[in-house]
Amino acid sequence: MSTIDQSGTFNLGGRSVKRLGYGAMQLAGPGVFGPPKDHGAALAVLREAVASGVNHIDTSDFYGPHVTNQIIREALHPYRDDLTIVTKIGARRGGDGSWMPAFSREELTAAVHDNLRNLGLDVLDVVNLRIMFDVRGPAEGSIEAPLTVLADLQRQGLVRHVGLSNVTSKQITEGRGITEIVCVQNQYNLAHRADDRLIDDLAHEGTAYVPFFPLGGFTTPLQSSTLSGVAARLDATPMQVALAWLLRRAENILLIPGTSSVSHLRENLAAAALLLPDDAVSKLNRMADIAA
C-alpha cells in the first residue's frame, strides 16, 4: 500500500477517488493570475502527484485564466483512466486579476467549452458551479437560473456530474431539485468551521465535501500554538497535522491541498499516513472555539 492509499477512498461522481487529492490553483502566477514563474516546476508537480497515486485533481479555467488547465493538459494528457478532473465555472477574471461573477447563459456555456478545450476533453467529469453572491463566503439567493444552464449542458453530454461551491444548505436543497449534486466545495479548516453541521448532513447522504483553503489560505496560513505543539509531539509539520485532522473529521471529506513545489507536495501527501491520537484530536477540535 502506498502512502496516499492510507487516506482511504470516497465516491465522487460514481467513481472511487483517493481522499487526498491535488488542487491546481497555485500552478498559476501570483494571485492565481498569469503564468507560473517556473513552468517546468509546474509540470513536475502534476506528474509527481499522479505518480504518487493522486487520482482527483481540482482546477478551473478561470485560474490564470486558462493557465492551469493548459498546464494540466501538457503534463498529463492523455489522462489515466482512473483520473478524475473536477473544474468549476461561475466566475471570470478582470484585466487586473479581479474576480467577478459570470452567471449568464452565454458566460457559463463559454466556460464549459473553454474547460473542455484547454483540458483536451470531450466531456468534463465534474463541474462545480461557483456561487459569487459574496466572494467572502456563502450568501443566500436563488441559484436556479445558472444551475439550470449547467444542467442543460449536462443533458447535452458535455458534463457528467454537477457540484456546488460557496453555497448554503438552502441552496444545496434548491440545487437538488434541478439536478443531482455530487459534491459541495466550501471553505473549511481547523479554524474555520462554519460548515460542521453541513458536513455531517452530507456525510449521512453520501455526498462528498471538498474544503478549499484546508490550510488557511494564501495569506493567512493556519497558525496556532496548539497546532504547533501537536505537530512537534508527532514529529510532523503543522500543515500535515491540519490535513490529517480533516481526513479524520468525516469520511466524506476529500482534500485538494495545492502547491507549486514537489517537496511540499510530498509533505502534503505524507499526511495520509499520520495517525492522530484521540487526545490530540480533542485539542485540535477546540481550536475553532479559540479562533472564534
Side-chain angles (χ1 to χ4, degrees):
M1 177 184 291
S2 67
T3 298
I4 192 175
D5 289 335
Q6 296 178 62
S7 68
T9 61
F10 195 78
N11 180 68
L12 178 60
R15 305 179 75 179
S16 178
V17 300
K18 310 284 179 62
R19 292 183 59 217
L20 191 46
Y22 175 74
M25 176 186 281
Q26 293 188 41
L27 294 182
V32 200
F33 196 67
K37 294 180 179 179
D38 189 333
H39 187 84
L43 297 175
V45 168
L46 285 162
R47 290 167 179 159
E48 176 71 17
V50 171
S52 298
V54 167
N55 64 356
H56 170 205
I57 293 178
D58 181 85
T59 186
S60 175
D61 213 54
F62 55 70
Y63 294 164
H66 314 305
V67 170
T68 62
N69 282 354
Q70 291 170 354
I71 293 174
I72 289 170
R73 180 176 184 174
E74 181 180 353
L76 303 177
H77 195 277
Y79 304 112
R80 286 174 38 167
D81 291 340
D82 68 337
L83 181 63
T84 295
I85 298 178
V86 179
T87 189
K88 63 187 71 65
I89 62 175
R92 62 184 177 88
R93 307 300 295 279
D96 59 352
S98 56
W99 305 77
M100 295 173 287
F103 280 171
S104 71
R105 176 173 290 275
E106 292 74 20
E107 288 171 317
L108 294 169
T109 301
V112 164
H113 284 281
D114 285 345
N115 277 279
L116 287 167
R117 181 179 62 256
N118 286 312
L119 286 169
L121 292 168
D122 296 322
V123 58
L124 300 171
D125 292 327
V126 182
V127 176
N128 286 320
L129 177 63
R130 169 74 179 190
I131 303 305
M132 296 285 288
F133 297 153
D134 188 337
V135 296
R136 297 169 296 180
E140 294 293 359
S142 176
I143 64 172
E144 179 180 3
L147 187 56
T148 297
V149 175
L150 182 51
D152 288 344
L153 294 165
Q154 183 182 29
R155 282 189 287 273
Q156 293 172 32
L158 300 177
V159 175
R160 289 194 178 96
H161 301 282
V162 171
L164 295 172
S165 177
N166 201 41
V167 288
T168 67
S169 295
K170 184 177 179 180
Q171 289 164 338
I172 295 169
T173 299
E174 180 185 26
R176 285 174 170 154
I178 299 169
T179 188
E180 180 187 7
I181 303 301
V182 301
C183 60
V184 173
Q185 189 177 99
N186 281 2
Q187 182 178 1
Y188 185 83
N189 54 52
L190 265 169
H192 186 101
R193 296 180 53 187
D195 274 359
D196 268 335
R197 180 174 178 179
L198 175 59
I199 289 171
D200 293 338
D201 290 343
L202 293 173
H204 180 72
E205 297 157 359
T207 302
Y209 182 93
V210 188
F212 62 78
F213 291 151
L215 301 177
F218 291 136
T219 59
T220 55
L222 291 171
Q223 296 183 26
S224 161
S225 58
T226 299
L227 180 58
S228 298
V230 170
R233 171 186 163 191
L234 299 178
D235 194 25
T237 69
M239 298 302 98
Q240 286 174 329
V241 172
L243 292 174
W245 178 85
L246 284 165
L247 287 172
R248 176 157 169 166
R249 168 62 183 82
E251 66 177 9
N252 64 321
I253 287 180
L254 301 177
L255 298 184
I256 50 167
T259 179
S260 57
S261 159
V262 168
S263 61
H264 188 206
L265 170 73
R266 291 170 177 163
E267 177 184 310
N268 287 341
L269 297 183
L274 183 61
L275 299 177
L276 300 179
D278 289 343
D279 64 321
V281 173
S282 296
K283 289 180 181 179
L284 295 169
N285 287 345
R286 292 194 291 271
M287 276 183 57
D289 297 331
I290 296 171

